[in-house]
Amino acid sequence: MAAALTTKAILTANDVRNGDIVFWTAESDWTTDIDQALIGYGKDETDALAAAGASEEGANTVVGAYLIALKPEETSARVPVKMREVRRLAGPSIEFAQAA
């Protein structure tokens, strides 16, 4: 797991059961709804999010846990800084083949 950020971030991972993109909540659980993701502000809070991700990976609940840096505006909006995350949240970039 990458080092924590010193800004505004949320924790994401993939659910080991179904591969869904999930986000860590204030209830110390995972959700598929980014609007329910707990926002960490500053080094201490983002360090705590990173530790939660490492713990959840250790428990085999999720894989690939990491922090997503959010735009620093003073809102509760969860808008990623990097285009990679914006694209990831939009869903697959290819169409799935339909079963015959």
Tab-separated table of all heavy atoms in Angstrom, residues 6-9 39-42 45 70-79:
chain	number	residue	atom	x	y	z
A	6	THR	N	-0.954	13.792	2.201
A	6	THR	CA	-1.043	14.827	3.224
A	6	THR	C	-2.119	15.849	2.871
A	6	THR	O	-2.091	16.967	3.329
A	6	THR	CB	0.312	15.533	3.388
A	6	THR	OG1	0.697	16.073	2.128
A	6	THR	CG2	1.365	14.585	3.897
A	7	THR	N	-3.086	15.446	2.093
A	7	THR	CA	-4.126	16.342	1.629
A	7	THR	C	-5.487	15.731	1.905
A	7	THR	O	-5.700	15.108	2.924
A	7	THR	CB	-3.884	16.660	0.133
A	7	THR	OG1	-4.866	17.567	-0.306
A	7	THR	CG2	-3.861	15.443	-0.744
A	8	LYS	N	-6.414	15.852	0.985
A	8	LYS	CA	-7.778	15.335	1.098
A	8	LYS	C	-7.864	14.054	0.276
A	8	LYS	O	-7.546	14.061	-0.916
A	8	LYS	CB	-8.716	16.417	0.560
A	8	LYS	CG	-10.170	16.097	0.573
A	8	LYS	CD	-10.922	17.325	0.031
A	8	LYS	CE	-12.363	17.038	-0.215
A	8	LYS	NZ	-13.047	18.184	-0.844
A	9	ALA	N	-8.286	12.946	0.905
A	9	ALA	CA	-8.290	11.671	0.186
A	9	ALA	C	-9.356	10.731	0.728
A	9	ALA	O	-9.867	10.915	1.835
A	9	ALA	CB	-6.923	11.008	0.301
A	39	ILE	N	-13.870	10.886	4.051
A	39	ILE	CA	-12.802	11.750	3.556
A	39	ILE	C	-11.797	11.971	4.680
A	39	ILE	O	-12.161	12.340	5.791
A	39	ILE	CB	-13.341	13.111	3.075
A	39	ILE	CG1	-14.329	12.920	1.931
A	39	ILE	CG2	-12.189	14.024	2.656
A	39	ILE	CD1	-15.021	14.202	1.490
A	40	GLY	N	-10.541	11.729	4.357
A	40	GLY	CA	-9.462	12.013	5.291
A	40	GLY	C	-8.827	13.343	4.928
A	40	GLY	O	-8.542	13.599	3.765
A	41	TYR	N	-8.623	14.193	5.930
A	41	TYR	CA	-7.999	15.502	5.726
A	41	TYR	C	-6.675	15.530	6.475
A	41	TYR	O	-6.632	15.270	7.673
A	41	TYR	CB	-8.896	16.624	6.258
A	41	TYR	CG	-10.216	16.745	5.562
A	41	TYR	CD1	-11.341	16.081	6.029
A	41	TYR	CD2	-10.346	17.530	4.415
A	41	TYR	CE1	-12.561	16.200	5.397
A	41	TYR	CE2	-11.567	17.656	3.770
A	41	TYR	CZ	-12.669	16.991	4.272
A	41	TYR	OH	-13.881	17.106	3.637
A	42	GLY	N	-5.624	15.825	5.776
A	42	GLY	CA	-4.321	15.947	6.425
A	42	GLY	C	-3.649	14.606	6.659
A	42	GLY	O	-4.224	13.539	6.464
A	45	GLU	N	-5.161	11.829	9.341
A	45	GLU	CA	-6.363	11.137	8.889
A	45	GLU	C	-6.091	10.250	7.674
A	45	GLU	O	-6.637	9.147	7.579
A	45	GLU	CB	-7.474	12.145	8.575
A	45	GLU	CG	-8.013	12.806	9.827
A	45	GLU	CD	-9.146	13.779	9.557
A	45	GLU	OE1	-9.727	13.772	8.450
A	45	GLU	OE2	-9.470	14.562	10.474
A	70	LEU	N	-8.241	13.750	-3.623
A	70	LEU	CA	-9.417	14.493	-4.081
A	70	LEU	C	-9.054	15.948	-4.329
A	70	LEU	O	-8.113	16.473	-3.720
A	70	LEU	CB	-10.527	14.427	-3.029
A	70	LEU	CG	-11.018	13.036	-2.643
A	70	LEU	CD1	-12.082	13.150	-1.549
A	70	LEU	CD2	-11.566	12.292	-3.847
A	71	LYS	N	-9.824	16.584	-5.195
A	71	LYS	CA	-9.609	18.013	-5.425
A	71	LYS	C	-9.778	18.745	-4.104
A	71	LYS	O	-10.649	18.426	-3.311
A	71	LYS	CB	-10.581	18.521	-6.484
A	71	LYS	CG	-10.251	17.972	-7.858
A	71	LYS	CD	-11.014	18.678	-8.942
A	71	LYS	CE	-10.572	18.129	-10.285
A	71	LYS	NZ	-11.270	18.780	-11.388
A	72	PRO	N	-8.930	19.746	-3.849
A	72	PRO	CA	-8.875	20.372	-2.529
A	72	PRO	C	-9.971	21.387	-2.214
A	72	PRO	O	-9.968	21.960	-1.129
A	72	PRO	CB	-7.502	21.060	-2.544
A	72	PRO	CG	-7.271	21.366	-3.972
A	72	PRO	CD	-7.883	20.213	-4.732
A	73	GLU	N	-10.912	21.595	-3.105
A	73	GLU	CA	-11.966	22.570	-2.828
A	73	GLU	C	-12.637	22.273	-1.491
A	73	GLU	O	-12.725	21.129	-1.069
A	73	GLU	CB	-13.032	22.561	-3.933
A	73	GLU	CG	-12.567	23.145	-5.241
A	73	GLU	CD	-11.763	22.166	-6.088
A	73	GLU	OE1	-11.757	20.966	-5.814
A	73	GLU	OE2	-11.123	22.622	-7.030
A	74	GLU	N	-13.121	23.319	-0.845
A	74	GLU	CA	-13.758	23.188	0.472
A	74	GLU	C	-15.201	22.730	0.343
A	74	GLU	O	-16.141	23.428	0.717
A	74	GLU	CB	-13.685	24.533	1.214
A	74	GLU	CG	-12.288	24.969	1.556
A	74	GLU	CD	-11.598	23.997	2.516
A	74	GLU	OE1	-12.262	23.476	3.421
A	74	GLU	OE2	-10.396	23.764	2.339
A	75	THR	N	-15.384	21.540	-0.190
A	75	THR	CA	-16.716	20.945	-0.292
A	75	THR	C	-16.611	19.487	0.143
A	75	THR	O	-15.518	18.960	0.328
A	75	THR	CB	-17.248	20.973	-1.745
A	75	THR	OG1	-16.497	20.047	-2.527
A	75	THR	CG2	-17.163	22.360	-2.353
A	76	SER	N	-17.753	18.857	0.286
A	76	SER	CA	-17.752	17.436	0.631
A	76	SER	C	-17.783	16.568	-0.621
A	76	SER	O	-17.892	15.352	-0.531
A	76	SER	CB	-18.947	17.112	1.526
A	76	SER	OG	-20.145	17.398	0.834
A	77	ALA	N	-17.664	17.203	-1.790
A	77	ALA	CA	-17.658	16.453	-3.043
A	77	ALA	C	-16.419	15.567	-3.110
A	77	ALA	O	-15.340	15.947	-2.670
A	77	ALA	CB	-17.682	17.404	-4.233
A	78	ARG	N	-16.617	14.403	-3.659
A	78	ARG	CA	-15.518	13.448	-3.797
A	78	ARG	C	-15.116	13.395	-5.265
A	78	ARG	O	-15.575	12.537	-6.015
A	78	ARG	CB	-15.952	12.087	-3.260
A	78	ARG	CG	-16.075	12.095	-1.743
A	78	ARG	CD	-17.208	11.204	-1.280
A	78	ARG	NE	-17.314	11.170	0.178
A	78	ARG	CZ	-18.066	12.023	0.868
A	78	ARG	NH1	-18.753	12.963	0.263
A	78	ARG	NH2	-18.133	11.936	2.178
A	79	VAL	N	-14.294	14.354	-5.660
A	79	VAL	CA	-13.866	14.483	-7.050
A	79	VAL	C	-12.370	14.186	-7.128
A	79	VAL	O	-11.554	14.949	-6.616
A	79	VAL	CB	-14.151	15.903	-7.594
A	79	VAL	CG1	-13.725	16.011	-9.054
A	79	VAL	CG2	-15.626	16.253	-7.427
